[in-house]
Amino acid sequence: RIFTLDAYLRRGDLLIITTDASPWAIGGFLMVNGVIIEYFHQAISQADAELMKIPLGSSDAQQGCEAFALLVALRLWKRYWHNRRITLTVRSDSVSGLTVVLKLKSTGEAPSLIARELAVDLSRTSYLPAIVEHIPGVANVVADILSRYDAPVAAQPDQKKKKDIPPCLVGATLR
């Protein structure tokens, strides 16, 4: 591993990863130096639900889904932070999900499984996330919209047939 003076002085990009989850899907976005450059939304597959032993569509799955969203986002954007010194902030409206990132352990079967996966990922990096930040649920609007993008229509009867992305994501890349 190489440790540079710039890394020591924390001269580098400011990355913010923000995620959210619904009982059916996950979503999030990546900001680099204040600009959203990428985002994702994905339904949680039945195979993933079985692996995590969570009941899709139930509030009992929420903590597992929130931790899963953070794991997916950190893996998806690994190339931006893995072995580079940047200031990485991980944000979510889930305290339990953020605790998984911060302490790499949790109670509950799904969050514990994800904590172990994340621990393996972080053991291979030079730097850990610098900031873990809780966002009130009402302020996590963009990630919330992304997490519900792939939810079943029956779960959101007021949802329009045409799904629009938030205006702040125009120009960003869907991953």
Side-chain angles (χ1 to χ4, degrees), residues 39-58:
Y39 66 98
F40 79 97
H41 55 82
Q42 181 66 48
I44 297 173
S45 70
Q46 189 62 42
D48 285 334
E50 289 172 9
L51 184 65
M52 293 186 285
K53 296 183 176 134
I54 58 171
L56 276 181
S58 168

Side-chain angles (χ1 to χ4, degrees), residues 104-125:
L104 302 176
K105 65 180 182 176
S106 182
T107 58
E109 197 161 356
S112 293
L113 172 68
I114 292 163
R116 290 190 300 273
E117 287 289 317
L118 193 55
V120 170
D121 289 354
L122 293 177
S123 72
R124 296 180 177 141
T125 68

Side-chain angles (χ1 to χ4, degrees), residues 28-97:
F29 60 91
L30 170 69
M31 290 176 63
V32 178
N33 297 323
V35 177
I36 298 175
I37 61 167
E38 294 184 6
Y39 66 98
F40 79 97
H41 55 82
Q42 181 66 48
I44 297 173
S45 70
Q46 189 62 42
D48 285 334
E50 289 172 9
L51 184 65
M52 293 186 285
K53 296 183 176 134
I54 58 171
L56 276 181
S58 168
S59 61
D60 294 340
Q62 193 64 36
Q63 287 185 346
C65 294
E66 294 282 2
F68 184 58
L70 288 162
L71 175 66
V72 168
L74 285 166
R75 284 184 173 175
L76 180 64
W77 293 310
K78 184 179 179 178
R79 67 187 181 280
Y80 288 98
W81 64 270
H82 182 67
N83 281 320
R84 295 177 40 210
R85 183 53 157 179
I86 47 90
T87 301
L88 175 61
T89 300
V90 178
R91 301 186 322 171
S92 175
D93 59 7
S94 169
V95 172
S96 66

